[in-house]
Amino acid sequence: MNFIGTGKRLEQGDIGDAARWLGVETAALLAFIEVEAAGRGFDGKNRPKMLFEPHVFWRELGPGIFRDTAAKLGLAYAKWGEKPYPADSYPRLEQAVDLVEERRALRSASWGLGQILADKFSLCGHVSERAFVQANMQGEREQLLCMVALMVAWGVPKMLAGKDLTQASSWTSAAAKWNGAAYATHNYHGKLAAAYVKHSQGAPMEIPASTVLQEGMKGEAVRNLQNDLAALGYEFAGGIDGRFGPETARRVRAFQQANGLAVDGKVGPATRKALDAALAKVVHDQPDAPAWPGQQSTSKAPKWLLVAAILIAVAAVGFAILKGVLHVG
């Protein structure tokens, strides 16, 4: 399977529409996306951001020669956190696909903006692990749709309703559901609260796709730019906030100077092309690893799961139709 995707980013309004459909604040949805995938659904090679999970592969394989072989190759081990993750998980995934049938390898990796394990494919509205991965390859909007469907299936909006999301304690239920029982060991709930505070400051503005980005603008296009610059090593002391202020302008000028471009602090076609070329050479940091319990593979899905899969598939289709009606994307 060729994992090279489109690299298509979210467009203005995508997250806002998804948040309204879920009944959560846009800042809350942005918080999940930032903490899970640092705001980017693709790596520099236009592959969906992916983390291969050896402890999940261990459970998927079960006892026997395949597990023994995978363990010797460093592809499987019994407990999460036994060994550090490599900078790029795709070589591990490709080895796993060569070792066993594709579906078990794909199920052992988390994907896209939400870093969702492919074993949740049915709850995301897809018919197979391969279909789920292919959707993640199509673009960040498709990755967002997977997040929306899974959040509905798991009741995440209800976990956030009526709470002061500036407080880490308000995120504990959602954090445990999305990241696993060990969420507190790496302050997952605290990271969500901090990201929420940042993204809740002010409303986004519409930016046409062809517009030259410059100081004073804000929105998804600026947030994408900031994430790109951060991936290239240009750190933001104030964090990624979707606002083109003095700090963003300084980072753009630094990039332009380092790449022999006209130094004006604005992002037009030449600077955008140079950014894309630089990103293609970068291996992105891996997102925080999810450690959900109870992910053993089963030979027969329980009835409640089949019913939930049908309901979530319908929900995903409904959201897609809503997107079309709103002419977003």
CSV table of all heavy atoms in Angstrom, one decimal, residues 23-64:
chain,number,residue,atom,x,y,z
A,23,GLY,N,-21.5,20.3,18.8
A,23,GLY,CA,-22.0,21.0,19.9
A,23,GLY,C,-20.9,21.3,21.0
A,23,GLY,O,-21.2,21.4,22.2
A,24,VAL,N,-19.6,21.5,20.5
A,24,VAL,CA,-18.5,21.9,21.4
A,24,VAL,C,-17.9,23.2,20.8
A,24,VAL,O,-18.2,23.6,19.7
A,24,VAL,CB,-17.4,20.8,21.4
A,24,VAL,CG1,-18.0,19.5,21.9
A,24,VAL,CG2,-16.8,20.7,20.1
A,25,GLU,N,-17.2,23.9,21.7
A,25,GLU,CA,-16.5,25.1,21.2
A,25,GLU,C,-15.4,24.7,20.2
A,25,GLU,O,-14.7,23.7,20.3
A,25,GLU,CB,-15.8,25.8,22.4
A,25,GLU,CG,-16.8,26.3,23.4
A,25,GLU,CD,-16.1,27.0,24.6
A,25,GLU,OE1,-15.4,28.0,24.3
A,25,GLU,OE2,-16.2,26.5,25.7
A,26,THR,N,-15.2,25.7,19.3
A,26,THR,CA,-14.1,25.5,18.3
A,26,THR,C,-12.8,25.3,19.0
A,26,THR,O,-12.0,24.5,18.6
A,26,THR,CB,-14.1,26.7,17.3
A,26,THR,OG1,-15.3,26.8,16.6
A,26,THR,CG2,-13.0,26.5,16.3
A,27,ALA,N,-12.6,26.1,20.0
A,27,ALA,CA,-11.3,26.0,20.8
A,27,ALA,C,-11.1,24.6,21.4
A,27,ALA,O,-9.9,24.2,21.5
A,27,ALA,CB,-11.3,27.1,21.8
A,28,ALA,N,-12.2,24.0,21.8
A,28,ALA,CA,-12.0,22.6,22.4
A,28,ALA,C,-11.6,21.6,21.3
A,28,ALA,O,-10.7,20.8,21.6
A,28,ALA,CB,-13.3,22.2,23.0
A,29,LEU,N,-12.1,21.7,20.1
A,29,LEU,CA,-11.7,20.8,19.0
A,29,LEU,C,-10.3,21.1,18.6
A,29,LEU,O,-9.5,20.2,18.4
A,29,LEU,CB,-12.7,20.9,17.9
A,29,LEU,CG,-12.6,19.9,16.7
A,29,LEU,CD1,-12.6,18.5,17.3
A,29,LEU,CD2,-13.7,20.1,15.7
A,30,LEU,N,-10.0,22.4,18.5
A,30,LEU,CA,-8.6,22.7,18.2
A,30,LEU,C,-7.6,22.2,19.2
A,30,LEU,O,-6.5,21.8,18.9
A,30,LEU,CB,-8.5,24.3,18.1
A,30,LEU,CG,-9.0,24.9,16.8
A,30,LEU,CD1,-9.1,26.4,16.9
A,30,LEU,CD2,-8.1,24.5,15.6
A,31,ALA,N,-8.0,22.2,20.5
A,31,ALA,CA,-7.1,21.7,21.5
A,31,ALA,C,-6.8,20.2,21.3
A,31,ALA,O,-5.6,19.8,21.4
A,31,ALA,CB,-7.8,21.9,22.9
A,32,PHE,N,-7.8,19.4,21.0
A,32,PHE,CA,-7.5,18.0,20.7
A,32,PHE,C,-6.5,17.9,19.5
A,32,PHE,O,-5.5,17.1,19.6
A,32,PHE,CB,-8.8,17.2,20.3
A,32,PHE,CG,-9.5,16.7,21.5
A,32,PHE,CD1,-10.7,17.4,22.0
A,32,PHE,CD2,-9.1,15.6,22.2
A,32,PHE,CE1,-11.3,16.9,23.1
A,32,PHE,CE2,-9.8,15.2,23.3
A,32,PHE,CZ,-10.9,15.8,23.8
A,33,ILE,N,-6.7,18.6,18.4
A,33,ILE,CA,-5.9,18.5,17.2
A,33,ILE,C,-4.5,19.0,17.5
A,33,ILE,O,-3.5,18.4,17.0
A,33,ILE,CB,-6.5,19.4,16.1
A,33,ILE,CG1,-7.8,18.7,15.6
A,33,ILE,CG2,-5.6,19.5,14.9
A,33,ILE,CD1,-8.6,19.6,14.7
A,34,GLU,N,-4.3,20.0,18.3
A,34,GLU,CA,-3.0,20.5,18.7
A,34,GLU,C,-2.2,19.5,19.5
A,34,GLU,O,-1.1,19.1,19.2
A,34,GLU,CB,-3.0,21.8,19.4
A,34,GLU,CG,-1.6,22.3,19.8
A,34,GLU,CD,-1.6,23.7,20.5
A,34,GLU,OE1,-2.4,24.5,20.0
A,34,GLU,OE2,-0.8,23.9,21.4
A,35,VAL,N,-2.9,19.0,20.5
A,35,VAL,CA,-2.2,18.0,21.5
A,35,VAL,C,-1.9,16.7,20.8
A,35,VAL,O,-0.8,16.1,21.0
A,35,VAL,CB,-3.0,17.8,22.7
A,35,VAL,CG1,-2.4,16.8,23.6
A,35,VAL,CG2,-3.1,19.2,23.5
A,36,GLU,N,-2.8,16.2,20.0
A,36,GLU,CA,-2.6,14.9,19.3
A,36,GLU,C,-1.6,15.0,18.2
A,36,GLU,O,-0.8,14.1,18.0
A,36,GLU,CB,-4.0,14.4,18.8
A,36,GLU,CG,-4.9,13.8,19.8
A,36,GLU,CD,-4.3,12.6,20.5
A,36,GLU,OE1,-3.5,11.9,19.8
A,36,GLU,OE2,-4.7,12.3,21.6
A,37,ALA,N,-1.7,16.0,17.3
A,37,ALA,CA,-0.9,16.0,16.1
A,37,ALA,C,-0.1,17.3,15.8
A,37,ALA,O,0.3,17.5,14.7
A,37,ALA,CB,-1.7,15.6,14.9
A,38,ALA,N,0.0,18.1,16.8
A,38,ALA,CA,0.7,19.4,16.7
A,38,ALA,C,0.1,20.2,15.5
A,38,ALA,O,0.8,21.0,14.9
A,38,ALA,CB,2.2,19.2,16.5
A,39,GLY,N,-1.2,20.0,15.3
A,39,GLY,CA,-1.9,20.8,14.3
A,39,GLY,C,-1.7,20.4,12.8
A,39,GLY,O,-2.2,21.0,11.9
A,40,ARG,N,-1.0,19.3,12.6
A,40,ARG,CA,-0.7,18.9,11.2
A,40,ARG,C,-1.1,17.4,11.0
A,40,ARG,O,-0.8,16.6,11.9
A,40,ARG,CB,0.8,19.0,10.8
A,40,ARG,CG,1.2,20.4,10.5
A,40,ARG,CD,2.7,20.4,10.1
A,40,ARG,NE,2.8,19.6,8.9
A,40,ARG,CZ,2.7,20.2,7.6
A,40,ARG,NH1,2.5,21.4,7.5
A,40,ARG,NH2,2.9,19.4,6.6
A,41,GLY,N,-1.9,17.1,10.0
A,41,GLY,CA,-2.3,15.8,9.7
A,41,GLY,C,-1.4,15.0,8.8
A,41,GLY,O,-1.6,13.8,8.7
A,42,PHE,N,-0.4,15.7,8.2
A,42,PHE,CA,0.5,15.0,7.3
A,42,PHE,C,1.9,15.3,7.7
A,42,PHE,O,2.2,16.3,8.3
A,42,PHE,CB,0.3,15.5,5.8
A,42,PHE,CG,-1.0,15.0,5.2
A,42,PHE,CD1,-2.2,15.8,5.3
A,42,PHE,CD2,-1.1,13.8,4.6
A,42,PHE,CE1,-3.4,15.3,4.8
A,42,PHE,CE2,-2.3,13.3,4.0
A,42,PHE,CZ,-3.4,14.1,4.1
A,43,ASP,N,2.8,14.4,7.3
A,43,ASP,CA,4.3,14.7,7.5
A,43,ASP,C,4.8,15.4,6.3
A,43,ASP,O,4.1,15.7,5.4
A,43,ASP,CB,5.0,13.4,7.9
A,43,ASP,CG,5.1,12.4,6.8
A,43,ASP,OD1,4.8,12.7,5.6
A,43,ASP,OD2,5.4,11.2,7.1
A,44,GLY,N,6.1,15.6,6.3
A,44,GLY,CA,6.7,16.3,5.2
A,44,GLY,C,6.7,15.6,3.8
A,44,GLY,O,7.0,16.2,2.8
A,45,LYS,N,6.4,14.3,3.9
A,45,LYS,CA,6.3,13.5,2.6
A,45,LYS,C,4.9,13.3,2.2
A,45,LYS,O,4.6,12.5,1.3
A,45,LYS,CB,7.0,12.1,2.8
A,45,LYS,CG,8.5,12.2,3.1
A,45,LYS,CD,9.1,10.8,3.3
A,45,LYS,CE,10.6,10.9,3.6
A,45,LYS,NZ,11.2,9.6,3.8
A,46,ASN,N,4.0,14.1,2.8
A,46,ASN,CA,2.5,14.0,2.5
A,46,ASN,C,1.9,12.6,2.9
A,46,ASN,O,0.9,12.2,2.3
A,46,ASN,CB,2.2,14.3,1.0
A,46,ASN,CG,2.3,15.8,0.7
A,46,ASN,OD1,2.2,16.6,1.6
A,46,ASN,ND2,2.4,16.1,-0.5
A,47,ARG,N,2.5,12.0,3.8
A,47,ARG,CA,1.9,10.8,4.4
A,47,ARG,C,1.1,11.2,5.6
A,47,ARG,O,1.5,12.1,6.3
A,47,ARG,CB,3.0,9.8,4.8
A,47,ARG,CG,3.9,9.4,3.7
A,47,ARG,CD,5.1,8.5,4.2
A,47,ARG,NE,5.9,9.2,5.2
A,47,ARG,CZ,7.0,8.8,5.8
A,47,ARG,NH1,7.5,7.6,5.4
A,47,ARG,NH2,7.7,9.5,6.7
A,48,PRO,N,0.0,10.6,5.9
A,48,PRO,CA,-0.7,10.9,7.2
A,48,PRO,C,0.2,10.7,8.3
A,48,PRO,O,1.0,9.8,8.4
A,48,PRO,CB,-1.9,9.9,7.2
A,48,PRO,CG,-2.1,9.4,5.8
A,48,PRO,CD,-0.7,9.5,5.2
A,49,LYS,N,0.1,11.6,9.3
A,49,LYS,CA,0.9,11.4,10.5
A,49,LYS,C,0.4,10.1,11.1
A,49,LYS,O,-0.7,9.8,11.3
A,49,LYS,CB,0.6,12.6,11.5
A,49,LYS,CG,1.6,13.7,11.4
A,49,LYS,CD,1.6,14.6,12.6
A,49,LYS,CE,2.7,15.7,12.5
A,49,LYS,NZ,2.7,16.6,13.6
A,50,MET,N,1.4,9.3,11.5
A,50,MET,CA,1.1,7.9,11.9
A,50,MET,C,2.1,7.5,13.0
A,50,MET,O,3.3,7.8,12.9
A,50,MET,CB,1.2,7.0,10.7
A,50,MET,CG,0.9,5.5,11.0
A,50,MET,SD,2.2,4.5,11.6
A,50,MET,CE,3.4,4.6,10.2
A,51,LEU,N,1.6,6.8,14.0
A,51,LEU,CA,2.5,6.2,15.0
A,51,LEU,C,2.2,4.7,15.1
A,51,LEU,O,1.0,4.3,15.4
A,51,LEU,CB,2.2,6.9,16.4
A,51,LEU,CG,3.1,6.6,17.5
A,51,LEU,CD1,4.5,7.1,17.2
A,51,LEU,CD2,2.6,7.1,18.8
A,52,PHE,N,3.2,3.9,14.7
A,52,PHE,CA,3.0,2.5,14.8
A,52,PHE,C,3.2,2.1,16.3
A,52,PHE,O,4.2,2.4,16.9
A,52,PHE,CB,4.0,1.7,13.9
A,52,PHE,CG,3.8,0.2,14.0
A,52,PHE,CD1,2.8,-0.4,13.3
A,52,PHE,CD2,4.7,-0.6,14.7
A,52,PHE,CE1,2.6,-1.7,13.3
A,52,PHE,CE2,4.5,-1.9,14.7
A,52,PHE,CZ,3.5,-2.5,14.0
A,53,GLU,N,2.2,1.3,16.8
A,53,GLU,CA,2.2,0.9,18.2
A,53,GLU,C,2.6,-0.6,18.4
A,53,GLU,O,1.8,-1.5,18.3
A,53,GLU,CB,0.8,1.2,18.8
A,53,GLU,CG,0.3,2.6,18.8
A,53,GLU,CD,1.0,3.4,19.8
A,53,GLU,OE1,1.9,3.0,20.5
A,53,GLU,OE2,0.6,4.6,20.0
A,54,PRO,N,3.9,-0.9,18.8
A,54,PRO,CA,4.3,-2.2,19.0
A,54,PRO,C,3.5,-3.0,20.0
A,54,PRO,O,3.3,-4.2,19.9
A,54,PRO,CB,5.7,-2.1,19.4
A,54,PRO,CG,6.2,-0.8,18.8
A,54,PRO,CD,5.0,0.1,18.9
A,55,HIS,N,3.0,-2.3,21.1
A,55,HIS,CA,2.2,-3.0,22.1
A,55,HIS,C,0.9,-3.4,21.6
A,55,HIS,O,0.3,-4.4,22.0
A,55,HIS,CB,2.1,-2.2,23.4
A,55,HIS,CG,1.2,-1.0,23.3
A,55,HIS,ND1,1.6,0.1,22.5
A,55,HIS,CD2,0.0,-0.7,23.8
A,55,HIS,CE1,0.6,1.0,22.6
A,55,HIS,NE2,-0.3,0.5,23.4
A,56,VAL,N,0.3,-2.6,20.7
A,56,VAL,CA,-1.0,-3.0,20.1
A,56,VAL,C,-0.7,-4.1,19.1
A,56,VAL,O,-1.5,-5.1,19.0
A,56,VAL,CB,-1.6,-1.8,19.4
A,56,VAL,CG1,-2.9,-2.2,18.7
A,56,VAL,CG2,-1.9,-0.7,20.4
A,57,PHE,N,0.4,-4.1,18.3
A,57,PHE,CA,0.7,-5.2,17.4
A,57,PHE,C,0.9,-6.5,18.1
A,57,PHE,O,0.5,-7.5,17.7
A,57,PHE,CB,1.9,-4.8,16.6
A,57,PHE,CG,2.2,-5.6,15.4
A,57,PHE,CD1,1.1,-5.9,14.5
A,57,PHE,CD2,3.5,-6.0,15.0
A,57,PHE,CE1,1.3,-6.6,13.3
A,57,PHE,CE2,3.7,-6.8,13.9
A,57,PHE,CZ,2.6,-7.1,13.0
A,58,TRP,N,1.5,-6.4,19.3
A,58,TRP,CA,1.7,-7.6,20.2
A,58,TRP,C,0.3,-8.3,20.4
A,58,TRP,O,0.2,-9.5,20.3
A,58,TRP,CB,2.3,-7.2,21.5
A,58,TRP,CG,2.5,-8.2,22.5
A,58,TRP,CD1,1.6,-8.7,23.4
A,58,TRP,CD2,3.7,-9.0,22.8
A,58,TRP,NE1,2.1,-9.6,24.3
A,58,TRP,CE2,3.4,-9.9,23.9
A,58,TRP,CE3,4.9,-9.0,22.2
A,58,TRP,CZ2,4.4,-10.7,24.4
A,58,TRP,CZ3,5.9,-9.9,22.7
A,58,TRP,CH2,5.6,-10.8,23.8
A,59,ARG,N,-0.7,-7.5,20.8
A,59,ARG,CA,-2.0,-8.0,21.1
A,59,ARG,C,-2.7,-8.5,19.9
A,59,ARG,O,-3.4,-9.5,19.9
A,59,ARG,CB,-2.9,-6.9,21.8
A,59,ARG,CG,-2.4,-6.6,23.2
A,59,ARG,CD,-3.4,-5.9,24.0
A,59,ARG,NE,-3.8,-4.6,23.4
A,59,ARG,CZ,-3.3,-3.4,23.8
A,59,ARG,NH1,-2.4,-3.4,24.7
A,59,ARG,NH2,-3.7,-2.3,23.3
A,60,GLU,N,-2.5,-7.8,18.8
A,60,GLU,CA,-3.2,-8.2,17.5
A,60,GLU,C,-2.7,-9.5,17.0
A,60,GLU,O,-3.4,-10.3,16.5
A,60,GLU,CB,-2.9,-7.1,16.4
A,60,GLU,CG,-3.7,-5.8,16.6
A,60,GLU,CD,-5.2,-6.1,16.3
A,60,GLU,OE1,-5.5,-7.0,15.5
A,60,GLU,OE2,-6.0,-5.3,16.9
A,61,LEU,N,-1.4,-9.8,17.2
A,61,LEU,CA,-0.8,-11.0,16.7
A,61,LEU,C,-1.2,-12.2,17.6
A,61,LEU,O,-1.4,-13.3,17.1
A,61,LEU,CB,0.7,-10.9,16.7
A,61,LEU,CG,1.3,-9.9,15.6
A,61,LEU,CD1,2.8,-9.8,15.8
A,61,LEU,CD2,0.9,-10.4,14.2
A,62,GLY,N,-1.2,-12.0,18.9
A,62,GLY,CA,-1.4,-13.2,19.8
A,62,GLY,C,-0.2,-14.1,19.9
A,62,GLY,O,0.7,-13.9,19.1
A,63,PRO,N,-0.3,-15.1,20.8
A,63,PRO,CA,0.9,-16.0,20.9
A,63,PRO,C,1.1,-16.8,19.6
A,63,PRO,O,0.2,-17.1,18.9
A,63,PRO,CB,0.4,-16.9,22.1
A,63,PRO,CG,-0.6,-16.2,22.8
A,63,PRO,CD,-1.3,-15.4,21.7
A,64,GLY,N,2.4,-17.0,19.4
A,64,GLY,CA,2.8,-17.8,18.2
A,64,GLY,C,4.0,-17.3,17.5
A,64,GLY,O,4.6,-16.4,17.9
